[in-house]
Amino acid sequence: MQNKITPFLWFNDNAEEAIDFYNSVFKNGKTLNVTRYGDGAPFPKGTLMSATFELEGQRFMVLNAGPQFKFNEAVSFFVNCATQEEVDELWEKLTAEGGKPGRCGWLKDKFGLSWQIVPAILGELLADKDARKAGKVSEALMRMDKIDVQALKQAYES
């Protein structure tokens, strides 16, 4: 079934590389369709023009359309992780080959797209009714790039 709302990503000329990369990062990634430029197009014939792919059930569309627009932090993709191992794996893969870590679980991948790699337990700890415990978790989080579940739990229990 087609999503009612689908994120649409504008790339200069490397959308196909990005799709391949994202499909390799996420266990449930697949390309659904590809349209290629033909004769007389602004890109060489056969270059990917647009495509639809899916990551963990979320569809995305991409377009190779030139350098007019760049990604920025105003839009990011939030990835809810079940375990520290999942956080570690996605963090490592998404920051590889030129990606850049950021604070509090944020990172930019090698294409400049922003991601938030967050363990599910973070929301639970921050929402605790004990404001002191939640505050300790928040303080610990502010000192982290990649989120460390054990450090969050230690802050919560201190």
Side-chain angles (χ1 to χ4, degrees), residues 85-107:
E85 292 75 23
E86 186 179 13
V87 169
D88 294 346
E89 178 183 352
L90 292 175
W91 188 271
E92 182 179 320
K93 288 179 177 180
L94 287 168
T95 57
E97 302 175 38
K100 301 209 179 328
R103 274 288 189 230
C104 304
W106 288 68
L107 64 85

Side-chain angles (χ1 to χ4, degrees), residues 11-13 37-49 64-67:
F11 288 85
N12 179 6
D13 61 0
Y37 283 106
D39 291 324
F43 288 90
K45 182 179 180 177
T47 301
L48 183 140
M49 179 173 65
N64 272 330

Side-chain angles (χ1 to χ4, degrees), residues 11 13-21 34 36 46-48 62 64 111:
F11 288 85
D13 61 0
N14 56 354
E16 193 157 21
E17 178 187 351
I19 291 170
D20 292 343
F21 175 71
V34 173
R36 298 195 177 276
T47 301
L48 183 140
V62 297
N64 272 330
F111 301 101

Side-chain angles (χ1 to χ4, degrees), residues 9 29 34-35 39 60 65 71 74-75 81 100 113 120:
L9 306 173
V34 173
T35 304
D39 291 324
F60 295 83
F71 297 124
V75 173
C81 298
K100 301 209 179 328
L113 195 58

Side-chain angles (χ1 to χ4, degrees), residues 43-73:
F43 288 90
K45 182 179 180 177
T47 301
L48 183 140
M49 179 173 65
S50 64
T52 304
F53 69 105
E54 189 174 281
L55 303 175
E56 305 296 339
Q58 173 63 55
R59 285 193 180 187
F60 295 83
M61 293 181 72
V62 297
L63 175 70
N64 272 330
Q68 296 89 329
F69 302 107
K70 303 278 187 230
F71 297 124
N72 66 51
E73 294 81 0

